[in-house]
Amino acid sequence: EAGVAQSPRYKIIEKRQSVAFWCNPISGHATLYWYQQILGQGPKLLIQFQNNGVVDDSQLPKDRFSAERLKGVDSTLKIQPAKLEDSAVYLCASSLQGASTEAFFGQGTRLTVV
Amino acid sequence: GNSVTQMEGPVTLSEEAFLTINCTYTATGYPSLFWYVQYPGEGLQLLLKATKADDKGSNKGFEATYRKETTSFHLEKGSVQVSDSAVYFCALSDQGDKLIFGTGTRLQVFP
Protein backbone atom coordinates (compact mmCIF):
# COMPACT_ATOMS: atom_id res chain seq x y z
CA GLU A 1 0.00 0.00 0.00
CA ALA A 2 1.16 3.56 -0.63
CA GLY A 3 2.63 5.33 2.36
CA VAL A 4 2.18 8.86 3.65
CA ALA A 5 3.29 11.33 1.01
CA GLN A 6 4.70 14.74 1.85
CA SER A 7 5.97 17.57 -0.27
CA PRO A 8 8.23 19.33 -0.69
CA ARG A 9 11.13 17.35 0.82
CA TYR A 10 13.22 20.46 1.39
CA LYS A 11 12.49 24.16 1.59
CA ILE A 12 14.68 27.16 2.28
CA ILE A 13 13.03 30.51 2.91
CA GLU A 14 13.93 33.85 4.42
CA LYS A 15 12.46 34.91 7.74
CA ARG A 16 9.12 36.66 7.47
CA GLN A 17 8.26 34.75 4.29
CA SER A 18 5.43 32.25 4.16
CA VAL A 19 5.59 28.53 3.38
CA ALA A 20 3.15 25.67 2.97
CA PHE A 21 3.56 21.93 3.33
CA TRP A 22 1.31 19.27 1.90
CA CYS A 23 0.46 15.80 3.18
CA ASN A 24 -1.48 12.94 1.62
CA PRO A 25 -2.21 10.27 4.24
CA ILE A 26 -2.75 6.56 3.71
CA SER A 27 -6.14 5.92 2.16
CA GLY A 28 -8.81 5.21 4.77
CA HIS A 29 -6.86 6.63 7.70
CA ALA A 30 -9.11 8.83 9.79
CA THR A 31 -6.42 10.38 11.99
CA LEU A 32 -3.77 12.75 10.67
CA TYR A 33 -0.96 14.37 12.65
CA TRP A 34 1.51 17.16 12.02
CA TYR A 35 4.67 17.09 14.12
CA GLN A 36 7.59 19.48 14.35
CA GLN A 37 10.98 17.85 14.94
CA ILE A 38 13.78 20.23 15.79
CA LEU A 39 17.28 18.82 15.34
CA GLY A 40 18.22 16.61 18.28
CA GLN A 41 14.72 16.57 19.75
CA GLY A 42 11.72 14.30 19.58
CA PRO A 43 8.70 15.06 17.43
CA LYS A 44 6.37 17.63 18.98
CA LEU A 45 2.71 17.37 18.10
CA LEU A 46 1.42 20.53 16.42
CA ILE A 47 -2.06 19.43 15.43
CA GLN A 48 -4.11 16.24 15.24
CA PHE A 49 -7.14 15.77 13.01
CA GLN A 50 -9.83 13.13 13.21
CA ASN A 51 -11.35 13.11 9.72
CA ASN A 52 -11.68 16.85 9.05
CA GLY A 53 -12.12 17.91 12.67
CA VAL A 54 -9.37 19.08 15.01
CA VAL A 55 -8.69 16.79 18.00
CA ASP A 56 -5.84 18.81 19.47
CA ASP A 57 -4.03 21.95 18.43
CA SER A 58 -2.90 23.11 21.84
CA GLN A 59 0.77 23.37 20.78
CA LEU A 60 0.18 25.02 17.44
CA PRO A 61 1.45 28.64 17.45
CA LYS A 62 -1.77 29.98 16.04
CA ASP A 63 -0.45 33.48 15.47
CA ARG A 64 1.70 32.13 12.63
CA PHE A 65 0.80 28.49 11.98
CA SER A 66 -2.40 27.21 10.41
CA ALA A 67 -3.51 23.80 9.19
CA GLU A 68 -6.49 22.40 7.43
CA ARG A 69 -7.72 19.03 6.29
CA LEU A 70 -10.34 19.55 3.68
CA LYS A 71 -12.70 16.64 3.01
CA GLY A 72 -10.91 14.60 5.67
CA VAL A 73 -8.12 13.50 3.33
CA ASP A 74 -5.17 15.72 2.31
CA SER A 75 -3.83 18.32 4.68
CA THR A 76 -1.77 21.48 4.42
CA LEU A 77 0.29 23.18 7.11
CA LYS A 78 1.18 26.84 6.63
CA ILE A 79 3.60 29.15 8.38
CA GLN A 80 3.20 32.89 7.92
CA PRO A 81 5.44 34.69 8.69
CA ALA A 82 8.31 32.28 9.35
CA LYS A 83 10.86 32.82 12.10
CA LEU A 84 14.38 31.44 12.41
CA GLU A 85 13.26 29.11 15.19
CA ASP A 86 10.80 27.42 12.82
CA SER A 87 13.73 25.63 11.16
CA ALA A 88 12.90 21.96 11.67
CA VAL A 89 11.60 18.84 9.97
CA TYR A 90 7.82 18.83 9.66
CA LEU A 91 6.42 15.33 9.84
CA CYS A 92 3.01 14.20 8.75
CA ALA A 93 1.60 10.90 10.00
CA SER A 94 -1.67 9.06 9.74
CA SER A 95 -3.34 6.23 11.60
CA LEU A 96 -6.43 4.17 11.02
CA GLN A 97 -8.33 5.38 14.08
CA GLY A 98 -6.71 7.39 16.83
CA ALA A 99 -3.40 7.33 18.64
CA SER A 100 -3.68 3.76 19.91
CA THR A 101 -3.45 2.45 16.34
CA GLU A 102 -0.12 2.43 14.52
CA ALA A 103 0.92 5.78 13.11
CA PHE A 104 2.63 5.76 9.71
CA PHE A 105 4.99 8.62 9.01
CA GLY A 106 6.00 10.41 5.86
CA GLN A 107 9.63 11.28 5.24
CA GLY A 108 9.07 14.85 6.31
CA THR A 109 9.80 18.29 4.96
CA ARG A 110 13.06 19.87 6.11
CA LEU A 111 12.53 23.62 6.49
CA THR A 112 15.44 26.01 6.82
CA VAL A 113 14.65 29.62 7.66
CA VAL A 114 17.54 32.02 6.99
CA GLY B 1 0.81 16.83 31.58
CA ASN B 2 1.63 13.51 30.01
CA SER B 3 5.24 12.99 29.03
CA VAL B 4 7.93 10.50 28.09
CA THR B 5 11.53 10.56 29.34
CA GLN B 6 14.30 8.66 27.60
CA MET B 7 17.94 8.14 28.42
CA GLU B 8 20.24 10.48 26.56
CA GLY B 9 22.44 9.17 23.82
CA PRO B 10 24.35 8.34 21.95
CA VAL B 11 24.55 4.74 23.05
CA THR B 12 27.64 3.17 21.51
CA LEU B 13 27.98 -0.61 21.41
CA SER B 14 29.97 -3.30 19.70
CA GLU B 15 28.16 -5.82 17.54
CA GLU B 16 26.52 -8.65 19.55
CA ALA B 17 26.44 -6.57 22.76
CA PHE B 18 23.31 -6.37 24.92
CA LEU B 19 21.19 -3.25 24.52
CA THR B 20 18.98 -1.42 27.00
CA ILE B 21 17.43 1.96 26.29
CA ASN B 22 15.50 3.30 29.27
CA CYS B 23 12.10 4.92 28.94
CA THR B 24 9.79 6.14 31.69
CA TYR B 25 6.47 7.89 31.33
CA THR B 26 4.03 10.13 33.16
CA ALA B 27 0.40 9.73 32.26
CA THR B 28 -3.05 9.67 33.74
CA GLY B 29 -4.99 6.50 33.21
CA TYR B 30 -3.60 3.64 31.17
CA PRO B 31 -1.74 4.76 28.07
CA SER B 32 -0.59 2.56 25.22
CA LEU B 33 3.20 2.54 24.86
CA PHE B 34 5.30 2.39 21.71
CA TRP B 35 8.85 2.28 20.44
CA TYR B 36 9.43 3.92 17.07
CA VAL B 37 12.70 3.74 15.13
CA GLN B 38 14.20 6.14 12.60
CA TYR B 39 16.90 4.63 10.40
CA PRO B 40 19.27 7.03 8.63
CA GLY B 41 17.52 8.78 5.77
CA GLU B 42 14.16 7.16 6.50
CA GLY B 43 10.93 8.12 8.20
CA LEU B 44 9.80 7.04 11.65
CA GLN B 45 8.36 3.56 11.81
CA LEU B 46 6.74 1.54 14.55
CA LEU B 47 9.05 -1.04 16.12
CA LEU B 48 6.78 -2.48 18.82
CA LYS B 49 3.89 -1.63 21.12
CA ALA B 50 2.14 -2.68 24.31
CA THR B 51 -1.38 -1.66 25.26
CA LYS B 52 -1.75 -2.77 28.88
CA ALA B 53 0.26 -3.48 32.00
CA ASP B 54 2.60 -6.50 31.86
CA ASP B 55 2.21 -6.77 28.08
CA LYS B 56 5.45 -7.45 26.23
CA GLY B 57 5.92 -6.01 22.76
CA SER B 58 8.49 -7.65 20.50
CA ASN B 59 9.79 -7.31 16.96
CA LYS B 60 13.09 -7.94 15.13
CA GLY B 61 14.67 -9.27 18.34
CA PHE B 62 13.74 -6.17 20.33
CA GLU B 63 11.51 -6.43 23.39
CA ALA B 64 9.89 -4.05 25.85
CA THR B 65 7.60 -4.79 28.80
CA TYR B 66 4.91 -2.39 30.03
CA ARG B 67 5.67 -1.93 33.74
CA LYS B 68 2.92 0.03 35.45
CA GLU B 69 4.49 -0.14 38.91
CA THR B 70 7.66 1.59 37.68
CA THR B 71 5.98 3.51 34.81
CA SER B 72 8.62 2.17 32.47
CA PHE B 73 8.90 0.64 29.00
CA HIS B 74 12.59 -0.10 28.54
CA LEU B 75 13.77 -1.37 25.15
CA GLU B 76 16.10 -4.39 25.11
CA LYS B 77 17.87 -6.56 22.58
CA GLY B 78 20.14 -9.45 23.39
CA SER B 79 22.59 -9.05 20.51
CA VAL B 80 22.71 -5.87 18.44
CA GLN B 81 23.84 -5.65 14.85
CA VAL B 82 25.37 -2.80 12.88
CA SER B 83 22.08 -2.53 11.01
CA ASP B 84 20.33 -1.60 14.28
CA SER B 85 22.10 1.77 14.26
CA ALA B 86 19.29 4.31 14.33
CA VAL B 87 17.44 6.74 16.57
CA TYR B 88 14.88 5.12 18.88
CA PHE B 89 11.84 7.01 20.20
CA CYS B 90 9.64 5.97 23.07
CA ALA B 91 6.05 7.21 22.82
CA LEU B 92 2.67 6.98 24.49
CA SER B 93 -0.90 7.53 23.48
CA ASP B 94 -2.87 9.11 26.26
CA GLN B 95 -6.51 9.31 27.28
CA GLY B 96 -6.89 12.34 25.07
CA ASP B 97 -5.82 10.17 22.16
CA LYS B 98 -2.62 12.14 21.53
CA LEU B 99 0.63 10.44 20.47
CA ILE B 100 3.47 11.91 22.56
CA PHE B 101 7.16 11.22 21.91
CA GLY B 102 10.32 11.26 23.97
CA THR B 103 13.43 13.05 22.78
CA GLY B 104 14.98 10.00 21.13
CA THR B 105 18.12 7.97 21.79
CA ARG B 106 20.73 7.48 19.10
CA LEU B 107 22.23 3.98 18.94
CA GLN B 108 25.55 3.42 17.19
CA VAL B 109 26.73 -0.15 16.71
CA PHE B 110 30.28 -0.81 15.54
CA PRO B 111 31.57 -4.05 14.03
Side-chain angles (χ1 to χ4, degrees):
Chain A
E1 81 187 347
V4 176
Q6 288 188 248
S7 67
R9 287 294 311 278
Y10 306 93
K11 190 76 177 177
I12 301 175
I13 62 172
E14 295 183 348
K15 59 184 179 183
R16 292 187 288 274
Q17 285 188 322
S18 63
V19 64
F21 313 127
W22 174 82
C23 173
N24 181 225
I26 293 173
S27 177
H29 280 195
T31 308
L32 185 146
Y33 315 80
W34 282 103
Y35 286 88
Q36 180 192 58
Q37 187 176 17
I38 293 172
L39 188 64
Q41 299 182 19
K44 183 183 89 171
L45 181 66
L46 292 176
I47 188 166
Q48 180 174 335
F49 292 95
Q50 181 73 10
N51 297 308
N52 60 351
V54 175
V55 171
D56 186 278
D57 63 358
S58 58
Q59 295 202 78
L60 187 73
K62 298 181 187 64
D63 57 333
R64 299 185 300 106
F65 286 64
S66 64
E68 60 182 8
R69 190 183 185 195
L70 297 176
K71 301 181 182 178
V73 183
D74 292 7
S75 177
T76 55
L77 176 70
K78 297 179 182 177
I79 307 175
Q80 182 179 17
K83 293 185 175 181
L84 296 177
E85 58 261 36
D86 298 332
S87 294
V89 177
Y90 290 85
L91 299 169
C92 180
S94 69
S95 65
L96 194 60
Q97 193 71 241
S100 60
T101 56
E102 180 178 354
F104 293 83
F105 283 79
Q107 291 206 297
T109 297
R110 183 177 298 277
L111 173 68
T112 303
V113 183
V114 297
Chain B
N2 298 333
S3 65
V4 175
T5 302
Q6 288 182 238
M7 63 188 289
E8 287 195 22
V11 173
T12 304
L13 295 172
S14 297
E15 210 165 22
E16 299 183 4
F18 184 85
L19 168 71
T20 300
I21 299 178
N22 291 337
C23 170
T24 57
Y25 67 90
T26 302
T28 54
Y30 304 97
S32 293
L33 301 174
F34 308 83
W35 277 100
Y36 279 79
V37 59
Q38 189 169 32
Y39 297 104
E42 298 185 17
L44 278 159
Q45 55 187 276
L46 180 67
L47 180 60
L48 53 85
K49 65 183 278 189
T51 58
K52 61 182 187 298
D54 300 324
D55 265 4
K56 178 185 285 188
S58 61
N59 186 24
K60 300 182 181 180
F62 290 89
E63 293 182 339
T65 301
Y66 189 142
R67 301 284 189 201
K68 185 171 180 294
E69 63 276 12
T70 54
T71 62
S72 64
F73 193 55
H74 304 321
L75 182 68
E76 296 182 335
K77 187 175 185 182
S79 176
V80 293
Q81 305 300 312
V82 173
S83 57
D84 294 327
S85 298
V87 182
Y88 293 81
F89 293 92
C90 187
L92 67 82
S93 68
D94 66 5
Q95 299 288 73
D97 207 31
K98 292 193 298 184
L99 186 58
I100 298 168
F101 285 85
T103 53
T105 303
R106 180 175 299 277
L107 170 65
Q108 297 174 323
V109 181
F110 293 94

